[in-house]
Amino acid sequence: MYWENELETLDRKNLEHLQVSRLKKTIQSATNSAYYGNLYRLMGLSADSIKSVSDIRKLPFTTKQNLRDNFPYGFLGLPQKELIRLHSSSGTTGNPTVIFHNRHDIDSWANLMARSLFCAGVRDTDVFQNICGYGLFTGGLGFQYGIERLGCLSIPAGAGNSPRQIKLMQDYGTTVIHAIPSYLNRLFEVFQEEGLDPRKDTKLHTFVIGAEPHTEEQRQRIEEMFGVKAYNSFGLSEMNGPGVAFECTYQNGLHIWEDAYIIEIINPDTLEPVADGEVGELVMTTLDREAMPLIRYRTRDLTRILPGDCPCGRTHVRLDRITGRSDDMFIVKGCNVFPMQIEGVLMKIAEVGADYLITLDTINGSDEMIIEVEVKKDWFNGDITRLDKLSRLISGQIRDEVLVKPIVKLVEPGSLPKSEGKAVRVKELRKALNS
Ligand code: ADP
Ligand code: ZN
């Protein structure tokens, strides 16, 4: 059962054929933009440079910095009057990243979203609550259009106000939720505070979780707490937003829609392709976007292509869970650490609650990693020996994973600061890095 039978199961040869013809078209429209127009002219590149998918390597990469430097209209491949919407990142440092869409782009995105949801088992009989900011952030409207295209009853709930979210679920019999994983832990606590059990007191059966890195352990926790299946959803605003790659009901990696994107995995240092199946930086090219095509965009996200075919029959390759961005990694006491390694350890420990925060600080002239960990309510009862034992256990397990012994501080549930949107996992206070 597929949303688009032919496209999703197209054999690899025909899929590549389609990619080549769409890539040529993309280059043609990109050439209308000030940025690619100048660049390709200087380099003597055009659609004719492409005969096969691998010829894409003749084209230069595009970076976030290029987008910022040519803000706002430098990448537009169409006259401004054709545009119907923009989405943009918050832009806390420098110019924001903005992506423009024409009617075709919005339509194509809605279709990719509907396809993604169908692939994760969502159907038009579902009641879909989208717990996510509506506005410039792509998760609100991006999902909204896909949910409607698929034909579910949509509840555009927006983010926050957990008691109201729970009331909506109960009033309308919500069966599917989309939210960021860090929020779902909090939502579960509110269920408990209200004396409710989502397994018994709701009709929820499917969650779509994404927009931020999370571990398999985190997913399993969410599935157990709510009694649902949770599917991983990956996207980034530069590639529209959600609807780029999605898990099917086999939950074995995220099918990335190759009729809409060409993907490459490169070594971020050498910029050469990595060997098959190796982890590297995901590089993406849009194949079905008219207003603002992006070619060989360096996402900074680290992942790999999973080997083998998927039993669902879809031929589009599967990405492994995204472990984070290349710039998420921090170095402490000479060891390279990704926040997700720490989350993986924490989420396996039953006493650990919903949230954690990693702080890097200089204490007595040396680098320290302090991890504040929320502990479940029934555990945080003042029994010092018990808490002491738990913090030693956590510290030991983290040291085994990342080779640095952290200072672990156990804190009450709900006491760590909550961010408005995506979870902030690391706070950097080290003097050398800040000066
Ligand atoms: P911002 O760049 O401001 O975070 P985006 O909404 O475009 O805004 O975020 C996209 C990024 O979010 C991706 O590049 C990736 O790093 C992260 N992301 C999105 N979905 C997932 C996911 N399922 N797993 C891990 N990381 C994800
Ligand atoms: Zn599959």
Side-chain angles (χ1 to χ4, degrees):
M1 287 273 278
Y2 310 103
W3 177 251
E4 285 166 298
N5 230 342
E6 263 178 39
L7 277 175
E8 290 177 57
T9 57
L10 205 59
D11 64 68
R12 295 296 309 177
K13 204 167 131 250
N14 284 318
L15 189 53
E16 276 166 33
H17 204 70
L18 178 70
Q19 287 186 317
V20 171
S21 72
R22 288 189 168 180
L23 177 59
K24 282 171 167 291
K25 215 172 130 201
T26 300
I27 294 174
Q28 267 156 10
S29 44
T31 311
N32 294 330
S33 73
Y35 178 76
Y36 288 119
N38 286 336
L39 188 64
Y40 290 179
R41 207 169 309 118
L42 281 173
M43 296 179 74
L45 293 164
S46 71
D48 293 338
S49 319
I50 303 294
K51 304 272 181 286
S52 66
V53 174
S54 57
D55 282 340
I56 198 170
R57 285 162 55 190
K58 296 179 184 165
L59 308 170
F61 292 108
T62 306
T63 63
K64 198 168 188 100
Q65 195 55 46
N66 297 144
L67 293 179
R68 289 196 168 129
D69 292 346
N70 294 276
F71 175 84
Y73 293 124
F75 278 83
L76 263 195
L78 287 178
Q80 199 181 322
K81 77 173 198 350
E82 306 281 329
L83 308 178
I84 61 165
R85 198 196 297 166
L86 67 81
H87 281 282
S88 102
S89 68
S90 52
T92 36
T93 54
N95 283 333
T97 309
V98 58
I99 301 293
F100 298 98
H101 302 279
N102 70 354
R103 200 168 298 283
H104 166 88
D105 300 339
I106 294 293
D107 188 63
S108 157
W109 182 14
N111 208 43
L112 287 172
M113 250 336 292
R115 184 200 288 183
S116 299
L117 294 173
F118 192 92
C119 166
V122 183
R123 294 294 180 268
D124 58 4
T125 43
D126 279 306
V127 178
F128 197 120
Q129 189 163 332
N130 191 22
I131 307 185
C132 179
Y134 278 69
L136 291 175
F137 177 58
T138 54
L141 288 175
F143 264 87
Q144 184 64 31
Y145 275 55
I147 301 164
E148 290 179 11
R149 177 69 54 94
L150 181 53
C152 307
L153 169 58
S154 63
I155 309 180
N161 195 344
S162 303
R164 182 169 153 268
Q165 299 286 358
I166 295 174
K167 178 144 183 6
L168 287 171
M169 279 171 221
Q170 294 192 306
D171 285 349
Y172 304 112
T174 302
T175 54
V176 185
I177 276 179
H178 164 238
I180 56 174
S182 53
Y183 172 71
L184 290 167
N185 280 306
R186 174 67 198 136
L187 182 66
F188 183 71
E189 285 177 352
V190 180
F191 265 100
Q192 287 183 312
E193 284 159 20
E194 305 213 336
L196 295 169
D197 176 355
R199 289 172 165 266
K200 296 202 198 92
D201 302 317
T202 70
K203 292 191 176 148
L204 297 170
H205 59 66
T206 299
F207 279 9
V208 173
I209 59 175
E212 65 181 6
H214 56 286
T215 52
E216 184 58 34
E217 288 78 12
Q218 175 83 281
R219 182 235 293 272
Q220 282 169 13
R221 259 185 180 229
I222 291 170
E223 291 191 328
E224 277 158 29
M225 288 188 297
F226 289 90
V228 297
K229 282 270 172 213
Y231 296 97
N232 195 350
S233 145
F234 167 76
L236 62 160
S237 344
E238 294 87 335
M239 294 292 130
N240 295 345
V244 171
F246 234 83
E247 276 183 328
C248 69
T249 49
Y250 288 92
Q251 290 184 313
N252 57 355
L254 303 98
H255 288 286
I256 184 155
W257 303 123
E258 292 182 271
D259 54 317
Y261 306 98
I262 289 177
I263 62 159
E264 303 165 74
I265 310 278
I266 61 161
N267 176 321
D269 300 321
T270 64
L271 306 183
E272 290 299 317
V274 299
D276 279 354
E278 257 180 41
V279 174
E281 178 181 343
L282 177 66
V283 171
M284 297 188 69
T285 299
T286 60
L287 290 181
D288 196 27
R289 208 160 67 186
E290 294 178 351
M292 191 168 162
L294 289 184
I295 296 169
R296 303 195 83 198
Y297 181 70
R298 290 189 57 182
T299 66
R300 297 176 295 160
D301 287 323
L302 300 175
T303 184
R304 68 189 181 111
I305 294 176
L306 292 169
D309 297 331
C310 184
C312 78
R314 290 179 179 84
T315 47
H316 302 233
V317 294
R318 285 164 301 126
L319 295 184
D320 202 352
R321 179 177 289 287
I322 283 88
T323 47
R325 290 183 171 181
S326 42
D327 36 11
D328 283 346
M329 192 193 78
F330 56 85
I331 300 177
V332 61
K333 295 192 169 154
C335 297
N336 297 354
V337 181
F338 279 97
M340 285 306 110
Q341 292 179 280
I342 292 174
E343 177 175 305
V345 172
L346 292 175
M347 292 301 139
K348 264 191 267 188
I349 301 173
E351 296 85 351
V352 167
D355 212 356
Y356 63 93
L357 177 66
I358 305 162
T359 302
L360 304 171
D361 205 351
T362 315
I363 300 178
N364 299 330
S366 99
D367 263 15
E368 292 294 348
M369 171 163 71
I370 301 123
I371 308 180
E372 289 167 276
V373 183
E374 288 187 6
V375 176
K376 285 187 181 151
K377 217 192 202 124
D378 43 345
W379 256 79
F380 207 88
N381 58 3
D383 183 339
I384 306 285
T385 340
R386 210 159 71 137
L387 287 173
D388 225 37
K389 217 167 127 194
L390 179 59
S391 89
R392 263 182 284 127
L393 173 104
I394 295 176
S395 164
Q397 290 195 2
I398 290 176
R399 187 205 46 224
D400 292 347
E401 173 69 30
V402 302
L403 309 178
V404 179
K405 194 171 164 61
I407 300 170
V408 172
K409 291 186 181 162
L410 303 179
V411 301
E412 263 183 272
S415 63
L416 288 175
K418 304 282 172 269
S419 52
E420 274 282 299
K422 304 184 187 200
V424 177
R425 299 302 190 190
V426 184
K427 210 162 95 183
E428 176 66 79
L429 299 176
R430 286 179 290 187
K431 294 194 184 80
L433 287 162
N434 283 332
S435 57

